[in-house]
Amino acid sequence: ALSNMNIKIENCLSEFIIQKDISESETVIVIPEIADKGDGYMTLNGHLLILNRKNGKIKSRFSEKDSWNSDAIKLENIEVVYQPYQLTKNSETIGVLIEYNGGSRPNPYSSTELSLFIRNGEKLVCVLKDYSIYRLNGETDGMSSGEFVEHRLIIRPNLNSKSEFYDLNIIDSIIKIQSMEGTEKKIEKSKKIENLKYENGKYKNVL
């Protein structure tokens, strides 16, 4: 796949080249290509491909310049999920999950961001980019005491939507956590409902 795209392995973040078989004949591969890097930061071009497992031929692809960044908030993991959500009646959907971790000891931060792609012939079309489905941030004394806010988002396609692309109902479960000398206690729980609608080729937040 790399040779077909004129990309050298040494120009990639090779530990995050992810492959997932999706059928007996096809596999999905994510290639993070290093576009730029310096002291404490890195910018990555993102490539998502569906390949013929027998001959390695590219059947569908998506490529984007400067797709992901890794800096003080460091890219920790990439995962591919096949058919995570039904977006249309007959859609073939691929999800890419990017985990980030970082911040400082007094201000820890971690997140998981979801991008969704629809297969359309030789193209993989991005319909949702870097949507945060998990986020944790907080303030601590630099040791074992502090307060944190955690967001966990559940996505539920509305199969009764009248449009071709189903609306996405989002349930954001928010938990405030207090840590005292290493002992955690949930001090507040709440939920927020959001709705994403497909407009002009992308899912967008509708208030």
Side-chain angles (χ1 to χ4, degrees), residues 74-86:
K74 188 179 178 186
L75 194 154
E76 287 273 309
N77 191 44
I78 297 178
E79 183 182 349
V80 173
V81 213
Y82 184 61
Q83 297 284 46
Y85 307 104
Q86 186 178 351

Side-chain angles (χ1 to χ4, degrees), residues 8 51-52 56 63 79 96 100 106 126 147 150 156 172 179:
K8 295 179 180 177
L51 304 180
N52 182 306
S63 291
E79 183 182 349
V96 176
Y100 293 95
C126 183
E147 283 195 5
E150 181 184 74
R156 290 184 177 151
D172 182 2
S179 178

Side-chain angles (χ1 to χ4, degrees), residues 76-155:
E76 287 273 309
N77 191 44
I78 297 178
E79 183 182 349
V80 173
V81 213
Y82 184 61
Q83 297 284 46
Y85 307 104
Q86 186 178 351
L87 300 183
T88 72
K89 191 175 179 181
N90 299 307
S91 64
E92 185 176 6
T93 309
I94 294 166
V96 176
L97 293 165
I98 310 285
E99 292 179 24
Y100 293 95
N101 215 330
S104 58
R105 182 175 278 187
N107 300 101
Y109 177 88
S110 62
S111 71
T112 301
E113 296 183 352
L114 169 71
S115 295
L116 292 175
F117 300 84
I118 291 276
R119 187 175 188 176
N120 185 5
E122 294 182 355
K123 292 182 179 179
L124 289 166
V125 181
C126 183
V127 294
L128 183 68
K129 182 73 165 59
D130 298 337
Y131 187 76
S132 179
I133 60 167
Y134 174 82
R135 188 167 69 255
L136 176 76
N137 59 288
E139 292 185 9
T140 76
D141 60 4
M143 301 296 286
S144 55
S145 297
E147 283 195 5
F148 305 87
V149 179
E150 181 184 74
H151 293 256
R152 291 182 183 271
L153 283 79
I154 296 172
I155 299 176

Side-chain angles (χ1 to χ4, degrees), residues 84-88 116 154-161 165-170 195-196 203:
Y85 307 104
Q86 186 178 351
L87 300 183
T88 72
L116 292 175
I154 296 172
I155 299 176
R156 290 184 177 151
N158 181 356
L159 303 184
N160 295 319
S161 305
F165 281 80
Y166 301 139
D167 295 349
L168 300 180
N169 298 328
I170 314 292
N195 193 24
L196 299 182
Y203 274 99

Side-chain angles (χ1 to χ4, degrees), residues 11 13 18 47 55 64 84 89 93 101 132 153 155 174 196 205:
N11 293 338
L13 211 55
I18 306 298
H47 305 284
N55 58 25
E64 182 181 58
K89 191 175 179 181
T93 309
N101 215 330
S132 179
L153 283 79
I155 299 176
I174 306 160
L196 299 182
N205 204 317

Side-chain angles (χ1 to χ4, degrees), residues 13-44:
L13 211 55
S14 57
E15 67 267 36
F16 292 128
I17 295 177
I18 306 298
Q19 184 171 341
K20 182 183 181 71
D21 294 339
I22 58 173
S23 71
E24 290 184 4
S25 60
E26 293 181 330
T27 190
V28 175
I29 186 166
V30 178
I31 303 170
E33 178 194 12
I34 299 167
D36 188 22
K37 66 177 179 178
D39 187 16
Y41 80 92
M42 189 179 297
T43 304
L44 301 167

Side-chain angles (χ1 to χ4, degrees), residues 48-65:
L48 180 66
L49 314 171
I50 296 179
L51 304 180
N52 182 306
R53 288 176 61 181
K54 292 190 174 115
N55 58 25
K57 184 181 176 184
I58 297 171
K59 299 184 73 175
S60 304
R61 66 183 287 178
F62 168 86
S63 291
E64 182 181 58
K65 288 187 175 180

